[in-house]
Amino acid sequence: MIFGGVFSGVAIGIFDKSLAGQLLPIGTLYLRLLQMLVLPILISAVISGLGNLFVSGIKKSQLSRLGSFLFLGLVISSSVGVAFGVLGHPGDGLQHDAQVTLGKTINRSELSVTAPPEVQKPTVFSYAQAIIPENIFSSLDRGDTLAILFFSILIGISMGMIDTEANKTALAVVNAFYHVFLSIIGWMMHLLPFGLLCLFAGQIAQVGIDIVWATVKLIQYLYIACVVTIIVYSVIIWWKLKHRLSYWQTVSGLRQPMIVALGTASSFATIPSALAALKDNLQVDENVSDLIVPLGATINPPASVLQFAISSIFIAQIYGAELGFEQLLIIFMGSILAGVASSSAPSMVALSMIAMILDPLGLPSSVAIILLIAIDPVVDPIVTALNVQANCALAVSLSETDSDVTCTPARV
């Protein structure tokens, strides 16, 4: 039913754009229903996961391993992106029709939309301001994910470290709310096939075929690079679970969050299905998955890093810029910084972070932002799927490598 909804939506988007336009508001409404509980799930999952981990006795080595795995994943993603961009030459040899289409798209976008938001170079102080909320209730109202995450981490750690009966009861209440939110999302999953039909129909109708054909090499290499990286993460998951599950069992166990990721293109909307799949299908320790999956959706964007790396090389090749070792190093490091900076930003602002890479190279970042926004509906599903797979692999790795983490504290 899910795949039937996806294929039907694609067909409607191509052959009946009028109907697709009527279905898009319904799909958007369904997506809003999924996103309605994102922040409640994020807050309750991080507080419950961290609190229970500290109750069970988490060690500093485990926290340092988490940071190491996160950094290693970003480095690998940036390396894969640079490699595919250099070896694939996505911006070389464009046909005349493709060049004309790109020029028209850029001119039309520059006339019809306001200028892309100016991206300031990030500093330690600017990151601190984004992370530490001045007023948590204002941050909740604006949906400032980083500030809400920081607040939830502090609450979770403190609830796990204070050893009182009242505190344990409060932690159990938070955990109860967390499971209530998951249950509500589970009800909504019954409407997933129809929701994906409406979303795909509207997105395909809006994108248009011309810009897709003009940037087909860029889209092609983005998809290939993401699929290769997804396979690498799936092998990591299987390697950690090979003593009790086959490779295809691990792949099948995560099929629902991957389908939701491809359909909704929202990492946060996949949190409930990813948590359920890790717990029920892969038997990952619930405390670890409750912490890693929401945390990773906010601060672990390997797919965005990969996308920035390939897209930067695409723009450089379009303009005939020479890319030596120093320029590639700027792209490699800049992609990591831009990916992390964009991890919790709105779509247009997130894509604008590519200016952090292109400005030092003397390349027009405004052109890159316009092109990225134009093809975003096409590449966003696979980008989301890679981020989800990376976070699931991180949860499995931390759960399976630490026998003392997998102890299960009492839950009410």
Side-chain angles (χ1 to χ4, degrees):
M1 292 180 65
I2 288 174
F3 282 110
V6 170
F7 291 136
S8 300
V10 171
I12 293 173
I14 294 175
F15 299 108
D16 194 342
K17 293 187 177 181
S18 175
L19 177 60
Q22 297 173 3
L23 292 175
L24 181 59
I26 302 175
T28 303
L29 181 63
Y30 177 73
L31 186 58
R32 288 174 66 92
L33 284 172
L34 289 179
Q35 294 174 332
M36 175 180 63
L37 295 175
V38 164
L39 287 182
I41 288 177
L42 174 66
I43 295 170
S44 58
V46 170
I47 293 176
S48 176
L50 264 179
N52 286 312
L53 279 176
F54 273 87
V55 168
S56 63
I58 190 172
K59 297 180 179 179
K60 292 182 179 179
S61 61
Q62 296 161 2
L63 293 176
S64 63
R65 189 177 292 113
L66 169 61
S68 300
F69 283 175
L70 286 173
F71 179 73
L72 181 61
L74 298 180
V75 169
I76 292 174
S77 299
S78 186
S79 301
V80 170
V82 171
F84 270 87
V86 172
L87 299 177
H89 301 283
D92 290 342
L94 294 180
Q95 299 294 328
H96 176 71
D97 292 343
Q99 295 177 354
V100 171
T101 300
L102 290 176
K104 289 181 179 179
T105 301
I106 294 169
N107 291 334
R108 184 169 59 250
S109 300
E110 288 176 338
L111 292 174
S112 61
V113 303
T114 57
E118 184 178 351
V119 178
Q120 299 179 350
K121 294 183 179 180
T123 63
V124 175
F125 184 72
S126 64
Y127 277 125
Q129 283 186 315
I131 293 173
I132 302 175
E134 181 181 6
N135 185 328
I136 187 59
F137 296 103
S138 298
S139 298
L140 287 168
D141 181 57
R142 295 192 302 266
D144 294 338
T145 312
L146 281 177
I148 296 169
L149 177 65
F150 178 76
F151 177 81
S152 302
I153 289 174
L154 290 181
I155 297 297
I157 293 174
S158 62
M159 292 186 73
M161 295 182 68
I162 300 175
D163 187 16
T164 64
E165 288 301 321
N167 197 65
K168 291 179 181 178
T169 302
L171 192 58
V173 171
V174 174
N175 184 64
F177 272 107
Y178 162 68
H179 285 284
V180 167
F181 299 144
L182 289 186
S183 178
I184 297 174
I185 290 289
W187 301 340
M188 298 178 185
M189 286 296 102
H190 294 293
L191 298 175
L192 182 61
F194 180 69
L196 294 183
L197 183 151
C198 298
L199 285 170
F200 268 83
Q203 290 172 356
I204 293 297
Q206 283 187 340
V207 170
I209 300 300
D210 292 341
I211 187 61
V212 174
W213 286 119
T215 57
V216 65
K217 288 185 69 177
L218 173 60
I219 296 172
Q220 173 187 347
Y221 281 103
L222 280 171
Y223 265 80
I224 294 174
C226 286
V227 169
V228 168
T229 312
I230 287 174
I231 293 174
V232 171
Y233 278 119
S234 70
V235 171
I236 293 174
I237 294 173
W238 165 74
W239 183 261
K240 295 295 182 180
L241 303 175
K242 63 179 181 178
H243 60 284
R244 52 189 174 87
L245 294 174
S246 68
Y247 175 77
W248 294 113
Q249 284 176 320
T250 60
V251 172
S252 176
L254 294 174
R255 65 186 182 277
Q256 188 178 43
M258 295 301 289
I259 291 173
V260 175
L262 290 169
T264 63
S266 170
S267 296
F268 290 108
T270 63
I271 288 177
S273 57
L275 291 172
L278 288 170
K279 175 188 174 184
D280 299 333
N281 301 335
L282 304 187
Q283 285 80 52
V284 173
D285 176 46
E286 189 174 357
N287 291 328
V288 175
S289 60
D290 286 355
L291 172 64
I292 297 302
V293 173
L295 187 68
T298 307
I299 65 173
N300 184 31
S304 299
V305 173
L306 187 151
Q307 181 184 17
F308 282 136
I310 297 181
S311 300
S312 299
I313 294 177
F314 173 79
I315 295 297
Q317 291 171 348
I318 283 180
Y319 282 88
E322 294 185 5
L323 296 177
F325 176 78
E326 183 178 350
Q327 288 74 28
L328 291 176
L329 185 62
I330 291 175
I331 293 175
F332 172 78
M333 298 298 297
S335 297
I336 296 176
L337 294 175
V340 173
S342 67
S343 58
S344 61
S347 178
M348 186 173 179
V349 176
L351 295 174
S352 300
M353 296 297 175
I354 198 173
M356 296 168 53
I357 310 168
L358 297 181
D359 288 349
L361 296 175
L363 294 171
S365 58
S366 59
V367 172
I369 295 168
I370 291 170
L371 292 181
L372 288 181
I373 292 174
I375 66 172
D376 185 57
V378 179
V379 301
D380 203 20
I382 194 66
V383 167
T384 304
L386 175 52
N387 283 333
V388 171
Q389 185 80 346
N391 290 326
C392 291
L394 180 60
V396 171
S397 299
L398 291 176
S399 178
E400 289 296 311
T401 54
D402 297 316
S403 58
D404 49 352
V405 175
T406 57
C407 59
T408 304
R411 283 179 175 267
V412 177

